[in-house]
Amino acid sequence: MLMRTDPFREMDRIVQQLSGASGTWSKPSVMPMDAYRQGDEYVIALDLPGVSPEAIDVDVERNMLTVKAERRPTEHSDGVQMELSERPLGVFSRQIMLADTLDTEHIEADYDAGVLTLRIPIAERAKPRKIAVGDRPGRRQISG
């Protein structure tokens, strides 16, 4: 039900991780993601540790879901000398093309322990349903 929009994005993420590059507004870093179906909904979980909920922006336009977030450096008091800084900072973004079978009008978003979880219901029209088979009135039967 989910379609990747950029097949080279994972390679960009690995290169950024190895080079230590931070995301910028013009070239955001990618955030790790899991996506799976659970019952009658799709669940997308995105890792955003250290990002405040106010710094997360989730938009959907037609079938394009966009998640953006920003992690700023921790402010330290005067006299603090940073010895090691490995935690990625900057802007993170992910765009996901959603299938037409998902109900984008009823997406729910929760943020807990650094994980943004989006729950997208499967549209009623896409759920399996039984079709009754029977005689219609006025239908001629062929006898042999």
Side-chain angles (χ1 to χ4, degrees):
M1 295 271 180
L2 302 176
M3 297 171 268
R4 287 186 178 253
T5 57
D6 185 356
F8 300 103
R9 192 138 192 173
E10 184 66 15
M11 184 61 89
D12 287 343
R13 183 187 67 79
I14 292 169
V15 169
Q16 285 178 351
Q17 212 171 29
L18 294 174
S19 68
S22 295
T24 63
W25 284 109
S26 61
K27 181 122 175 87
S29 298
V30 70
M31 59 192 83
M33 171 183 99
D34 289 338
Y36 53 92
R37 182 175 177 163
Q38 183 175 27
D40 285 341
E41 62 186 7
Y42 263 87
V43 179
I44 299 173
L46 299 128
D47 284 348
L48 292 169
V51 175
S52 70
E54 298 81 32
I56 300 172
D57 186 29
V58 181
D59 291 314
V60 66
E61 183 177 341
R62 295 188 192 147
N63 290 6
M64 182 63 71
L65 176 73
T66 303
V67 179
K68 283 191 177 182
E70 182 177 12
R71 183 170 43 223
R72 296 178 183 262
T74 306
E75 294 195 22
H76 300 284
S77 60
D78 291 339
V80 172
Q81 182 177 342
M82 184 64 78
E83 295 292 330
L84 179 66
S85 180
E86 293 181 340
R87 296 172 38 207
L89 302 172
V91 179
F92 302 87
S93 179
R94 192 79 186 234
Q95 284 193 313
I96 305 158
M97 180 68 84
L98 302 176
D100 291 334
T101 56
L102 298 177
D103 184 358
T104 58
E105 297 292 322
H106 295 96
I107 297 175
E108 294 180 9
D110 295 307
Y111 185 64
D112 184 40
V115 178
L116 174 65
T117 304
L118 304 172
R119 296 185 179 282
I120 310 167
I122 295 174
E124 288 298 320
R125 69 181 182 280
K127 292 180 184 175
R129 61 189 193 284
K130 277 287 202 196
I131 306 296
V133 177
D135 287 335
R136 293 186 307 205
R139 188 170 162 210
R140 286 186 14 187
Q141 295 278 337
I142 300 175
S143 53

